[in-house]
Amino acid sequence: MDNENKTPVILDGTFFEVVIVKNEIVKAIFKDEYSKENYKSMTNSRQLKVNNLFPSNSGGLKQTQYENNLVNFIVNNMKPISITEYEDFQKLILDPSIKTMSKRTVGRRINDNYNNVLNSLKLFFQTHCEVRVCTTADIWSTKHRSVIGITAHWIDGKTLGRHSCVLACKRFFGAHTFDKIGEIMVDIFSKFNLSNDNIVSTVTDNGSNFVKAFKEFGCKIKTSNNDSDTDSDGDMDKDLNEDNELSFLVVDENDDGDILLPQHLRCASHTLRWNSLYDSISQLIKHKAKLNTLTRDLGLNQLQLLKEQHLRYTFTFIDPLITSLEKRFKLYFDLSPEVDEAILASCFHPTFKLRWIPEHDEIMKNRVKNLCINIAEKYIENSSHTESSVDNVDDEDFLIFSSQEQCFDSRANLEVVQFFNNKNKTLTCLDSYPTIKKLFIRYNTSLPSSAPVERLFSFAGFIHAPNR
């Protein structure tokens, strides 16, 4: 087509109506629906945008955005669903093209979102079998109703960031017996395709029902120092090296095939719940000289009496608390093999490594160092066997396997020593040590506290409030 006969785009009839075409002079007028100001505002950029030339109807997008924002507002702020039908709330919607949602529609939308999140979590755990998960569990009772809550926590293998989700917050009917707790927990774990291979530990409070459930149905971690055939006459260093084998990771599974719970950890915060009282009293004693002025200004004569007659006797609380603390965490203070997982979690963390071990305690430092090397060696060996499994082993294969063991030992020793000598304390340094990074994720996944599930019940209290 000849370019001279082409009509300019600006005169295609969208904005102007051509009235005179004479001697290559074109005259046109604005259409009624477009004013000069409207035209200038839409064509003030260097390049004319298609969205400006052809305005689209965004009513559907506004409605969808409004519905999504409303559902998020109700869920995230724990507002009653009936708020959508309040007259004052509807006055906030200034756009007459937006249709308000009824509480029934909002309820269905929330259920749809819940099912989508639930299916996404199930798919995630099903397709990411390598993820190691720590769970927290507890039972909460209010208004003659009981609810069991379970949360899950894991570390991302790439970013090393911790992620969390809620697996269950459902009604618990009947007595809180240990066998029923075990059945419900196994049922919840199976719904999310979580097995004991994925769950490294479950953290609960010190409730007797949870303790008994894990005692009867839980995995038991064996330590080599519990073996009856241990040679007590051997050399100390030899015993330390033998104890540092991967024996404590051997899981003694329960004979009951129907109920098998993960490894159990007790919440440290419930044991240390006295610390808030101790800290508050310590602060009062620290500012003892200012208490007279404070009580006089506030008119609290009773506090003055308490300070003079009783506050000084609070020092007698310290000795029993220290005794209880030493008794509860004796295995940790003694660095017993039964808490090797906690030791490994510290050693494989770039911030700590071996810095927390006293410099003069060379025996313990060598013991922990050998423990880390043996764990890394076993991990490399197991990873290699997973990649290339051998069904039949002859003499030649045995020799090859023996040489591979030496290779695993040297690789593990080299990587662990280089990691300990690295002065970098940030998590980014783990990218240079692939085996250490995997072990860091494995042993730092467990949480020391069951606070997440306690926080879940706090939200549940708001959700079940009378105004909702």
Side-chain angles (χ1 to χ4, degrees), residues 56-69 95-99:
S56 59
N57 184 11
S58 59
L61 296 177
K62 288 183 179 180
Q63 183 69 28
T64 302
Q65 185 178 5
Y66 157 74
E67 294 177 357
N68 294 334
N69 292 341
D95 193 339
S97 64
I98 295 179
K99 299 180 180 179

Side-chain angles (χ1 to χ4, degrees), residues 185-200:
M185 292 184 65
V186 169
D187 180 63
I188 293 173
F189 292 153
S190 61
K191 287 183 178 180
F192 288 90
N193 302 296
L194 291 174
S195 63
N196 292 335
D197 295 333
N198 305 105
I199 305 176
V200 297

Side-chain angles (χ1 to χ4, degrees), residues 18-142:
V18 179
V19 294
I20 299 176
V21 179
K22 184 178 181 182
N23 297 329
E24 298 182 355
I25 298 177
V26 179
K27 291 185 178 181
I29 60 174
F30 281 99
K31 288 188 174 182
D32 295 338
E33 60 266 29
Y34 295 103
S35 63
K36 289 184 179 181
E37 290 75 12
N38 190 22
Y39 169 75
K40 291 179 180 180
S41 63
M42 292 187 294
T43 60
N44 57 2
S45 59
R46 294 183 179 179
Q47 183 178 359
L48 206 59
K49 296 182 179 180
V50 176
N51 292 338
N52 291 337
L53 291 176
F54 303 98
S56 59
N57 184 11
S58 59
L61 296 177
K62 288 183 179 180
Q63 183 69 28
T64 302
Q65 185 178 5
Y66 157 74
E67 294 177 357
N68 294 334
N69 292 341
L70 178 59
V71 172
N72 293 333
F73 167 75
I74 293 176
V75 173
N76 297 334
N77 296 278
M78 291 175 290
K79 299 298 182 181
I81 300 178
S82 58
I83 194 174
T84 59
E85 298 183 348
Y86 293 171
E87 183 178 355
D88 293 333
F89 179 81
Q90 293 179 358
K91 290 180 180 179
L92 296 175
I93 306 173
L94 303 179
D95 193 339
S97 64
I98 295 179
K99 299 180 180 179
T100 59
M101 300 173 63
S102 64
K103 63 180 183 180
R104 184 176 180 182
T105 303
V106 174
R108 287 199 300 263
R109 184 66 62 84
I110 293 176
N111 288 333
D112 293 340
N113 291 352
Y114 165 77
N115 292 326
N116 292 336
V117 173
L118 192 66
N119 294 330
S120 299
L121 287 175
K122 292 180 179 179
L123 182 62
F124 172 80
F125 290 122
Q126 182 178 3
T127 55
H128 295 77
C129 300
E130 74 284 356
V131 172
R132 296 295 175 261
V133 179
C134 170
T135 59
T136 64
D138 198 4
I139 297 177
W140 173 61
S141 299
T142 180

Side-chain angles (χ1 to χ4, degrees), residues 380-390 401 404-405 408:
I380 296 175
E381 182 180 346
N382 293 336
S383 300
S384 178
H385 290 169
T386 303
E387 294 175 358
S388 57
S389 58
V390 181
F401 181 75
Q404 287 179 346
E405 284 187 337
F408 299 151

